[in-house]
Amino acid sequence: MASSTRVPAWLNHVVAFSQCTDHLHALEAYCDTFLPVGQVRELCQIPDVTSFRPSQNTTGIEETREATHSAEVLLQAAGERLLENVRSQAFVPWKFHPRNASFEPKLDDERSYIHFIEIVENQNVKHWESRKSVSDESYSLRISETGNVLINIIAPIGGIRALETLSQLFYRHSDPIAGIYTPYAPVSIRDSPAFKHRGLNLDISRNIISPQDVMRTLDGMSFNKFNRLHLHASDSQSWPLEIPALPDLAAKGAYHPSQIWSTADLEEVQVYGAYRGIEVHVEFDMPGHTASIFHSNPSLITAFNQQPWTPYSAEPPSGELLLNSTSVSTFLTTLLSDLLPRISPYTTLFHLGGDELNTLTYTLDPTVTSSSPSILQPLLQSLTNHLLSLVKAHNLTPIFWEEQLLDWNLTLPQNSIIQTWRSPGSLASVLQKGHYALFGDHTHWYLDCGHGTFLDPNRTNPDSSIHPPYLDYCAPYKNWREVYSYDPLADIPSEEHHLVLGGEVHLWGELTDGISLDGTLWPRAAAAAEVMWRGGGREVGEEVTRRLAEMREGLLGREVRAGMVQMTWCLMNKGGCTA
């Protein structure tokens, strides 16, 4: 794999993409770029993407949907992003070398050129026999000393991942006339994810996060090899998603008309994700966390905005769906019969929520008037069965928060996915019940933690729990090293690993909006992405810091305003900031 030869190679101007055979795809590259041949480096951690969006001139939704599912269109778009990334590359990596170091190829060095990128789709599993399991996202990437690029994939999504990785091999030369180069050739990369589901849970309901903010987030996610975006799309505070069959739901439930996501906005975000190999799925949390429905349908909600609120909800305002009402069932049928056909072309998942159900609320529910779990459990099971029938009718896989299984002992379909969050022990408990699970407990992967509480002390209440230093419930702050150190499979028996589909890192929105979003997410979400791509249980060290710091520079180049990873002096003086 290794070579000591260093021969710079160049590209020239534009890329053309074409299908050569049923399983052979090609990119021809001509771009003012040179490629010095040098060391080999494993690059199984951090990929890349740019801002390609489907044409705004498409003739209709059906055309867009057909294009989204076309492998050729997706690979064409990935190729265009690759060249856009390379052409616009502004990252000169001086921070990663000592002062006045000569780290760039000389302009009079002998040069090789990349003229052709060959992508071969090889569905023969024996080609990947070194892997215990074969993922559609697997790929191999080779750049020869002469600049030939060969990518082997078993499915088009692997081509998207490979082209993202390829784009990250390039830097801009500090001489403005020199163009773009890579020091990583010849190189041979074999890459495959540890987990099938690698997600971000993003709350778009508690503060205003626009579709444009989410599409920028998808750019950062693709850069880091995420493949799932979970939109927590409603909560007690607001309902931002337009539902044409229930027009008042967002019109009255959103904070302001500017917060509302139209049906076109949601579809654009899903298509944008699909072009980047990211499935965007929606959560409507219920029957708890539903107080915002009161503004359009007050008869469906019990205990709305009770004062004091603390006995009735985890945070204000209180309010939950009635638990024994045919009107609620009719409402939910209308809601999901509108939404699910629109989202199902782009996702296989729908999240039904189910967390933090407040039992005291149901003493105020005229259809129940009890907080007894023995009374509430069969009512909750009946409501859940109704929701499941709607989800099944659209061939979607249901996701639930862990309480539905662990606290309420609901009977759920075997294909249900249980999302754990309260503790590492929750994952073990779900697996013991034989269900598929997602990890991401709040002790490691809640990125909203440690910013302080959003609650103010009630000066008339001498027993207020809000006092200096005004911590939130899940403090302390989870810095990127803490995020990276999370080992989700620690203490999980190997015979249960197959039930762990993957995980999600979480950003709840009490103190995050579109302005603060980037710095709150990045680079910490990138640390989580590497755990999900490579597997957990890896030690934090200087090599991780330097890799993440370089990733941060790449995010900045794509207009994602990621936070700091490391002080510049430490990056310029390798080994100088260890202790």
Side-chain angles (χ1 to χ4, degrees), residues 17 51 56 61 77 80 90 107 121 175 201 253 260 270 316 323 339 343 357 380 436 452 498 502 519 530 539 551:
F17 181 85
S51 302
Q56 299 301 308
I61 289 175
E80 291 175 6
L107 299 185
E121 186 174 347
D175 188 316
N201 169 28
I260 295 174
Q270 285 193 290
L323 207 52
L339 177 75
I343 65 173
L357 191 64
L380 182 60
Y436 294 113
H498 69 285
E530 183 163 319
E539 294 183 358
M551 181 283 308

Side-chain angles (χ1 to χ4, degrees), residues 27 43 46-50 74 77-79 81-82 85-86 119 137 139 141 151 157-170 191 198 218-227 272-278 533 558:
L27 291 170
L43 294 174
I46 305 171
D48 168 49
V49 76
T50 57
L74 294 177
R81 289 197 303 272
L82 166 69
N85 280 344
V86 171
I119 304 177
E137 295 176 276
Y139 67 90
L141 167 64
I151 294 170
I157 184 64
I160 293 175
R161 301 291 179 243
L163 291 171
E164 290 172 352
T165 294
L166 179 60
S167 70
Q168 281 205 344
L169 300 179
F170 294 92
D191 209 357
R198 305 182 308 282
L218 285 164
D219 287 337
M221 292 176 67
S222 181
F223 189 92
N224 286 278
K225 293 187 180 176
F226 283 94
N227 68 351
Y272 196 87
Y275 271 81
R276 286 151 183 77
I278 299 169
W533 183 266
R558 288 162 181 78

Side-chain angles (χ1 to χ4, degrees), residues 372-416:
S372 169
S374 64
I375 293 175
L376 298 180
Q377 198 274 349
L379 296 174
L380 182 60
Q381 181 73 68
S382 178
L383 180 65
T384 300
N385 290 345
H386 177 63
L387 293 169
L388 285 167
S389 69
L390 297 168
V391 171
K392 183 179 180 180
H394 292 89
N395 297 313
L396 296 171
T397 299
I399 306 178
F400 295 94
W401 292 109
E402 62 177 70
E403 291 95 320
Q404 297 284 75
L405 181 71
L406 300 183
D407 293 2
W408 291 99
N409 196 31
L410 295 189
T411 300
L412 302 174
Q414 198 60 40
N415 71 330
S416 299

